[in-house]
Amino acid sequence: MNVNRERIMQRIDAFAGFNDNDDGGISRFSYGRADADARAWLMQICRELKLQVTVDPVGNIRACYEGVDSSLMPVLVGSHIDSVRNGGKYDGIVGVVGAMEVLTVMRENNCLPRRSVELIIFAEEEGSNFGTTMVGSKTLIGKLSADDLRHLHTEDKRTCLEILEKSGLDPGKMKDFVLKPGDIEAMLELHIEQGIVLEQEKKRLGVVQAIAGMTTMEVTVCGTSNHAGATPMYLRNDPMSAAAVLIEDIEDIAANHVLESTVATVGSISCRPNMPNVIPGEVTFTIDIRDIEQDAIEKTVAQITSCAEKISQERKVMIRFRTIGSSKPIRLSPRIMDTVKRAVSSCSDSWMVMNSGAVHDAAMMASITDVGMIFVPSVGGKSHNPEEYTDPSDIALGCQALLLAVTELCV
Ligand code: GLV
Ligand code: MN
Ligand code: MN
């Protein structure tokens, strides 16, 4: 059985047409208009393929290609269709279209697998709405409860629970959909690398062995708001200047004081009242800290909070930290890595074993099942921006490897 490169690229382009952004990049937040249209289009294709489609109360979609032996646990294959703001057209979508292609080719070939194969689309992977990633998969494995969803909110203070209910979903029913160990045989995800390792190593496929963990925190710095002209410099408790010093320390800590693999990013910042002629009263920003080693994440958090205490005393501002989300680094299943290695090596000699610096729903699923991931190269290592690009021949190769891995696990 072989995948169809033309159909794969047409479907990637079709997804790019579902876009809430007219600025060049893709903005497709979960529960938004473009997301709803993309999901409807995807589910229509699933029905044409005679898959059993279910949507759970947080918006994860599962579409089942039934196997011959219903007593066997299914294999899941998929990714996400939501994006960051002004992102690219390949993040998540390559894995979704790859999974659609696997099921399409199986149907075309009247394949009768022993195990069922299910396409899975995770909702809200990027954290674009609520500032914390993987809300769909975290809820699916029981890491987030319906009550936790009440405490996640958008910048304009709409809660996750409210948004789900407005989308016609019933989060109170999530308990009935939560997956436990013993429910799923394995999960596979194809994804773009989002970094530059494959390109530098001149390899076309990556077999992922570990996924970085991450901690996302919100930092609020409170000072004294006052007149920008009438307040002398020595009489200020300016939270913006304090935040600037702390942000510089965060960069220095991640770059020079933990591991070479440690990264920390301040990617979102706001202040109140946000006026040119007013010393702000409050500055809020996020910190995204990641590493393959949990210890390094914890050391980074500890060093940042200790710098914050010092700054708080020196500048007489109050600094509060709130953890918005976290996930631990994970090692992928050696059993599924072996399957993936066999699959990639029968498609190409050009592959390597590697780590993922980006997080993926597969990392959440690893707590309830064996997980495998295949990477394809990102040109120039660019991702989470409109310049994201992967060569169509590499995408098709990744889809073919995914097909071989799925069929080894199911047939
Ligand atoms: C998700 O794509 C992330 O790694 O932030
Ligand atoms: Mn992704
Ligand atoms: Mn992403």
Side-chain angles (χ1 to χ4, degrees), residues 3 37 93 101 129 132 159 163 172 209 223 225 314 334 336 357 362-363 383:
V3 299
D37 293 347
I93 292 301
E101 184 62 18
N129 285 298
T132 178
T159 70
I163 289 178
Q209 68 176 353
S225 180
E314 282 169 7
I336 307 298
S383 184

Side-chain angles (χ1 to χ4, degrees), residues 79-80 91-92 125-126 189 191 194 359-360 384:
S79 192
H80 62 96
D91 180 357
E125 191 269 354
E126 296 288 6
E189 182 168 2
H191 206 280
Q194 308 182 273
V359 295
H360 300 285
H384 281 185

Side-chain angles (χ1 to χ4, degrees), residues 4 43 47 51 62 96 99 105 108 116 139 160 194 210 226 250 260 278 297 316 329 336 339 348-349 381 383:
N4 178 332
M43 287 193 275
R47 290 191 189 100
L51 310 179
R62 288 172 66 179
V96 169
V105 171
E108 277 173 347
S116 298
T139 312
C160 178
Q194 308 182 273
N226 210 337
I250 291 166
E260 214 185 308
V278 184
I297 297 178
K316 301 202 173 27
I336 307 298
T339 300
S348 169
D349 290 335
S383 184

Side-chain angles (χ1 to χ4, degrees), residues 185-260:
E185 169 68 11
M187 189 220 149
L188 290 167
E189 182 168 2
L190 169 69
H191 206 280
I192 55 167
E193 181 202 337
Q194 308 182 273
I196 196 145
V197 175
L198 286 172
E199 187 172 279
Q200 270 182 358
E201 299 296 323
K202 300 195 171 26
K203 301 287 187 210
R204 296 183 66 199
L205 294 168
V207 176
V208 179
Q209 68 176 353
I211 301 177
M214 75 187 282
T215 291
T216 312
M217 289 189 298
E218 182 185 76
V219 185
T220 308
V221 187
C222 300
T224 311
S225 180
N226 210 337
H227 195 290
T231 317
M233 295 309 281
Y234 69 93
L235 282 179
R236 295 180 181 211
N237 318 104
D238 181 347
M240 185 63 89
S241 309
V245 174
L246 182 54
I247 291 169
E248 201 175 357
D249 286 345
I250 291 166
E251 184 186 42
D252 177 53
I253 290 164
N256 303 314
H257 299 283
V258 203
L259 298 179
E260 214 185 308

